[in-house]
Amino acid sequence: MQIKSKKQPLGIIRKIANIVFPILLGGLIIWWMYRGFDFSKVMSTMRSGMDWGWMLFSLVFGVTAQMFRGLRWRLSLDPVGEHPRVADCIHAVFLSYASSLVIPRSGEVVRCGVLKRYDGTSVSKSLGTVLTERVIDSLLIILVTIVVFLCQIGTFRDFFSQTGTNLSSWLATFTGTGWMVTILCIVITLVFLYVLARHITGLRKLRQIAEDLKAGIFSLKDVEDKGLFTFYTIAIWVSYFLHFYIAFFSFSFTSDLPLITAAVAFIIGSIAVIVPTPNGMGPWHFAVKTILVLYGVTAFDAELFVMIVWAVQTALIPVLGAWSLICLSGRRRTPTAAAGHDRRSVPHRLRTQDLP
């Protein structure tokens, strides 16, 4: 009991820090970016200076991105002997994004917990498949990043020659605070990855968990329909990109920008959200704003764009989470020991009752 009493305060402090620190970090970056900003322009732009039709249309792809992620996850669970309902997988993904707004990077555990509660799915096995998804998504974004930047070498060269600047002079435009923010984001990301690696290593000391994680990680090679898995993966990232790109048409100062500009901003923004803040708050704003300015958008307009787009699209996340909570509230928990053996005996493609 004495050992528990000593460790419990440290555990509470750690949990509080996991919530408070990311919010403070994101808030600090936002404060630095928008100090001296004319916020009256935000409301006037939202009332009459933007096309809400395009903005609302972009939200459709925010929904499809998460739905495709749930469908892909359901497919990857089959090889490890877990067969939750398709609807539960989608609701679990919706809830995972919503929980990450409060506690960054908590989504993976939350969505595995949802399937454990309602379908009796093994948490360690489902977590293994989530890690597999992360690896695949990371490899894909790295590949796309390389291709996009190779295609843009000429554009960057022309930009610097036409404006009479070079890379060193452009970097010189960064203020001391700007460099501090950039370096801080990089350091925090490296620390986060180190802590995550140590955490996973610690889990593997438990033999059963290690075996389940391994089974989940290597489950991809046993996916029955690899073509469908590939389609879902591509559909996820196409949806994410359209979610971002369509918002460009909401504003006069971004509507005429070429597709490649949105692609570069999207990639840099996707990398920036590795920093553990709520939905990339702060690092995403800073990264996307920097790219838009590089492509000729004024600093004020770029800041206005990232503020409104982030706020509107982030508001979608708790809405989907609340909807999933309502849908799941009418579902009974599935005991682990009876996690649907009859359902498992039926091929996945024949279980039409699994559909949302």
Side-chain angles (χ1 to χ4, degrees):
M1 294 298 293
Q2 291 180 348
I3 295 177
K4 289 184 178 180
S5 63
K6 290 180 180 179
K7 289 186 177 181
Q8 188 174 10
L10 291 177
I12 294 174
I13 293 174
R14 189 180 296 111
K15 290 179 180 178
I16 294 175
N18 288 338
I19 299 174
V20 174
F21 178 73
I23 296 175
L24 288 178
L25 173 62
L28 178 63
I29 297 174
I30 293 294
W31 170 81
W32 170 76
M33 281 185 60
Y34 290 98
R35 66 194 190 286
F37 186 84
D38 185 1
F39 286 96
S40 64
K41 295 289 186 180
V42 177
M43 296 309 299
S44 62
T45 299
M46 294 182 71
R47 282 196 300 266
S48 58
M50 59 180 289
D51 188 336
W52 275 98
W54 285 109
M55 183 63 74
L56 295 176
F57 182 44
S58 75
L59 300 182
V60 172
F61 295 96
V63 177
T64 60
Q66 296 188 38
M67 290 184 67
F68 281 126
R69 187 172 289 281
L71 291 170
R72 185 183 67 173
W73 189 31
R74 174 63 187 78
L75 199 63
S76 66
L77 285 167
D78 267 334
V80 295
E82 300 293 344
H83 309 279
R85 297 177 74 243
V86 173
D88 290 346
C89 290
I90 294 175
H91 289 314
V93 170
F94 286 167
L95 288 171
S96 72
Y97 278 87
S99 69
S100 291
L101 285 180
V102 180
I103 306 177
R105 301 299 182 263
S106 65
E108 287 82 356
V109 176
V110 168
R111 66 162 153 158
C112 293
V114 170
L115 292 194
K116 173 69 175 179
R117 178 172 184 174
Y118 292 101
D119 294 271
T121 303
S122 166
V123 172
S124 50
K125 285 184 179 180
S126 57
L127 183 58
T129 61
V130 170
L131 294 177
T132 304
E133 288 186 337
R134 292 304 182 196
V135 171
I136 293 171
D137 289 338
S138 297
L139 292 175
L140 180 63
I141 200 68
I142 290 172
L143 176 62
V144 174
T145 300
I146 294 173
V147 171
V148 169
F149 276 95
L150 286 177
C151 294
Q152 283 296 279
I153 289 178
T155 301
F156 285 116
R157 184 176 61 248
D158 292 342
F159 171 83
F160 290 125
S161 64
Q162 291 173 11
T163 57
T165 60
N166 53 43
L167 183 59
S168 60
S169 63
W170 177 68
L171 292 176
T173 61
F174 268 47
T175 63
T177 309
W179 279 112
M180 288 178 60
V181 171
T182 303
I183 294 172
L184 180 62
C185 288
I186 294 173
V187 170
I188 291 174
T189 300
L190 293 176
V191 171
F192 169 75
L193 293 175
Y194 172 74
V195 172
L196 180 62
R198 287 196 61 183
H199 180 63
I200 294 175
T201 301
L203 287 178
R204 287 177 179 171
K205 293 179 181 179
L206 301 176
R207 183 175 179 180
Q208 185 58 48
I209 293 180
E211 290 177 356
D212 288 345
L213 281 173
K214 182 178 178 181
I217 292 172
F218 290 98
S219 63
L220 180 59
K221 64 182 178 62
D222 297 320
V223 169
E224 180 182 355
D225 194 336
K226 293 182 176 61
L228 186 59
F229 187 93
T230 302
F231 168 77
Y232 286 152
T233 300
I234 295 174
I236 288 168
W237 286 98
V238 169
S239 293
Y240 279 139
F241 175 68
L242 292 175
H243 184 44
F244 175 68
Y245 176 56
I246 291 175
F248 275 51
F249 298 101
S250 300
F251 305 89
S252 59
F253 48 81
T254 54
S255 59
D256 294 330
L257 291 175
L259 179 68
I260 195 66
T261 302
V264 175
F266 173 74
I267 289 172
I268 296 300
S270 298
I271 295 173
V273 298
I274 294 176
V275 180
T277 60
N279 201 34
M281 180 180 70
W284 184 87
H285 292 72
F286 178 72
V288 174
K289 176 243 181 177
T290 301
I291 296 300
L292 292 179
V293 170
L294 176 62
Y295 278 88
V297 179
T298 67
F300 179 84
D301 286 342
E303 290 171 356
L304 189 65
F305 174 87
V306 295
M307 176 186 291
I308 295 176
V309 171
W310 184 87
V312 173
Q313 295 188 346
T314 297
L316 174 68
I317 296 175
V319 171
L320 294 178
W323 180 70
S324 290
L325 281 176
I326 293 172
C327 292
L328 290 174
S329 63
R331 289 257 293 115
R332 287 195 242 171
R333 301 186 195 181
T334 300
T336 303
H341 292 290
D342 292 337
R343 288 154 45 84
R344 296 183 183 188
S345 63
V346 183
H348 170 63
R349 65 185 61 186
L350 299 180
R351 289 198 299 271
T352 55
Q353 71 271 23
D354 279 355
L355 296 175

